[in-house]
Amino acid sequence: MTASRVLVLNSGSSSVKYQLLDMADRSRLAMGLVERIGEETSRLVHEPLAGPGAEAGRRERLGPIADHEAALKAVAAELAADGTGLDSPELAAVGHRVVHGGTRFTQPTVIDDEVLAEIRSLIPLAPLHNPANVTGIEVARSLRADLPQVAVFDTAFHSTMPEHVARYAIDAATADKYAIRRYGFHGTSHAYVSRATAALLGKPVEDVNVIVLHLGNGASASAVRGGVCVETSMGLTPLEGLVMGTRSGDLDPAVVFHLARVGGLSVDEIDSLLNKKSGLLGLCGDNDMREVQRRADGGDPAARLALAAYVHRLKKYIGAYTAVLGRVDAVVFTAGVGENAAAVREAAVAGLEELGLALDLEANAVRSGEPRLVSPEYARVAVAVVPTDEELEIATQAYALVTQ
Ligand code: ADP
């Protein structure tokens, strides 16, 4: 029997999301999440979808789960109850989402002690994310030492950005000393979606230039030339770029000095303000696009302003990346907002006819989980909606690495 299953783990600061996939047919056997780890009200939701456990149905467990180790052990127990536990001989690998790979990790990487130490050393670059990723790896290794563990990095797809794009225009010695450069994030999504868009257009990925707009809670844009990332909107951290649910995106760095000098805020307070209390939330008090749209439709001025700022930033990036790429074949929307918010897509593309963009309003209004074109045939630049699938991409990369 060939081992063809991959368990994908996405460990966040207080949550673990997971999926078990069978790469023989790219099907999903189970998915679930543990949330509010470390609180009294932890919750585990496990959903077997196919294979031996499917009969058992969706299960929910409430009650305190102290830490990531306990969370992953609980996940392992749920999988074992379905007959798809970590001891299963059909399991080929565990694929770990790791947020920051620095400049060292530009490819998926089998994890050994040295790699784990290196991921740990990158914690200062991603203090909110890499610690949980490291814990996830440690626990998974302790549960099944002989199983290949593969790290798939959010930054890797963007490592092809040319040096003059990745560099900030600051003192070079200081930048080098502190590893300050633009890394980019959401890379597995940008990789998956740019490839899927080429397939949708019926062309080899090498022949297609796309602008990918990943619009979820976090949001980022990328310019991808022939399958290779040449520019992305997130930088040293996931704070730069588009207006997001709770993050400001681009701003004058002097805002930080001003808040410290005039406002008397500490570095941590400014960090929290820009990462957690800004974006849509900062502008109108809501970070969920559904709620912002509902309020804006009802004429709420703050929600309308937030939506307008969000869309304006998108337009700026579409324009900028058109200039970066020179020729654009498609602008593609993905993630929670990009896949579902037809009005945001319409507003972002409106008025960009000179750039070759146009929208088929009827096609754009259709709700669907499938990749699709939402532009008229005459449009020089296609507009597409392509659902992202970061778990499938992580599993694909991990499986390719352990079976090559
Ligand atoms: P994450 O970045 O956490 O993976 P998602 O890609 O799932 O997030 O996106 C979540 C966001 O998508 C929500 O906060 C919400 O704003 C938005 N969203 C989801 N469904 C809709 C919808 N039908 N209309 C507008 N926005 C939506």
Side-chain angles (χ1 to χ4, degrees):
M1 176 174 45
T2 326
S4 58
R5 292 179 187 164
V6 178
L7 176 64
V8 176
L9 289 180
N10 181 355
S11 304
S13 56
S14 66
S15 70
V16 174
K17 293 186 197 146
Y18 63 96
Q19 287 193 10
L20 181 66
L21 295 104
D22 192 334
M23 299 317 291
D25 57 1
R26 293 157 72 89
S27 66
R28 239 168 282 262
L29 297 176
M31 62 192 291
L33 88 159
V34 188
E35 57 186 2
R36 296 192 289 276
I37 295 171
E39 294 178 33
E40 287 300 307
T41 56
S42 315
R43 185 169 86 115
L44 184 156
V45 180
H46 176 78
E47 197 168 358
L49 301 166
E55 302 259 297
R58 186 175 183 276
R59 310 194 278 280
E60 190 172 333
R61 308 230 184 283
L62 301 170
I65 295 179
D67 52 24
H68 281 74
E69 182 167 355
L72 283 175
K73 285 185 171 158
V75 170
E78 294 297 336
L79 290 167
D82 293 343
T84 54
L86 263 79
D87 56 352
S88 160
E90 283 154 288
L91 196 58
V94 180
H96 295 269
R97 176 193 182 205
V98 179
V99 167
H100 216 304
T103 47
R104 154 88 196 263
F105 297 110
T106 59
Q107 299 290 333
T109 305
V110 174
I111 301 164
D112 58 18
D113 290 342
E114 190 261 327
V115 167
L116 186 57
E118 192 88 11
I119 295 172
R120 210 179 270 120
S121 78
L122 293 167
I123 285 176
L125 284 173
L128 298 177
H129 297 102
N130 272 33
N133 303 155
V134 166
T135 311
I137 293 166
E138 285 171 339
V139 178
R141 284 177 105 200
S142 74
L143 292 175
R144 174 102 189 258
D146 65 310
L147 195 64
Q149 312 274 332
V150 178
V152 178
F153 299 91
D154 253 30
T155 46
F157 183 62
H158 306 300
S159 65
T160 49
M161 283 192 290
E163 193 61 13
H164 66 277
V165 175
R167 282 261 173 189
Y168 291 108
I170 63 170
D171 173 65
T174 306
D176 288 343
K177 183 171 177 194
Y178 297 107
I180 295 172
R181 58 190 285 118
R182 309 188 56 249
Y183 294 96
F185 298 88
H186 291 144
T188 50
S189 178
H190 287 281
Y192 176 86
V193 168
S194 51
R195 270 204 328 271
T197 304
L200 181 69
L201 297 175
K203 293 185 179 162
V205 73
E206 296 76 23
D207 295 349
V208 174
N209 293 352
V210 294
I211 297 172
V212 179
L213 303 170
H214 175 110
L215 312 177
N217 282 316
S220 62
S222 69
V224 183
R225 177 181 289 129
V228 176
C229 179
V230 294
E231 165 74 292
T232 194
S233 60
M234 285 177 167
L236 175 75
T237 76
L239 182 56
E240 193 179 344
L242 301 175
V243 174
M244 312 183 208
T246 66
R247 293 180 217 146
S248 62
D250 296 335
L251 47 75
D252 181 345
V255 170
V256 176
F257 321 143
H258 189 77
L259 285 170
R261 290 186 190 127
V262 180
L265 273 71
S266 69
V267 170
D268 285 345
E269 284 167 337
I270 300 170
D271 189 328
S272 166
L273 179 81
L274 298 180
N275 273 297
K276 297 190 180 148
K277 297 176 205 151
S278 296
L280 295 173
L281 181 70
L283 286 167
C284 77
D286 272 304
N287 63 299
D288 191 311
M289 183 55 87
R290 287 163 286 206
E291 192 54 22
V292 178
Q293 283 186 307
R294 195 191 59 73
R295 284 174 50 194
D297 289 345
D300 181 318
R304 292 176 86 151
L305 176 71
L307 201 52
Y310 186 96
V311 166
H312 176 74
R313 191 77 56 85
L314 276 176
K315 270 188 202 291
K316 262 171 72 168
Y317 272 88
I318 294 172
Y321 286 4
T322 300
V324 166
L325 288 170
R327 189 203 84 222
V328 182
D329 297 297
V331 172
V332 51
F333 290 85
T334 193
V337 176
E339 291 167 30
N340 297 300
V344 170
R345 296 195 296 263
E346 185 179 338
V349 170
L352 300 186
E353 294 81 7
E354 285 292 323
L355 298 184
L357 285 128
L359 210 60
D360 177 336
L361 292 179
E362 233 169 82
N364 186 49
V366 174
R367 294 186 67 87
S368 156
E370 295 299 314
R372 58 205 186 272
L373 291 176
V374 293
S375 48
E377 260 182 42
Y378 67 78
R380 200 168 71 239
V381 178
V383 181
V385 182
V386 173
T388 192
D389 195 336
E390 289 164 279
E391 289 78 14
L392 177 59
E393 180 67 18
I394 291 171
T396 304
Q397 292 191 17
Y399 190 63
L401 187 62
V402 299
T403 52
Q404 71 186 1

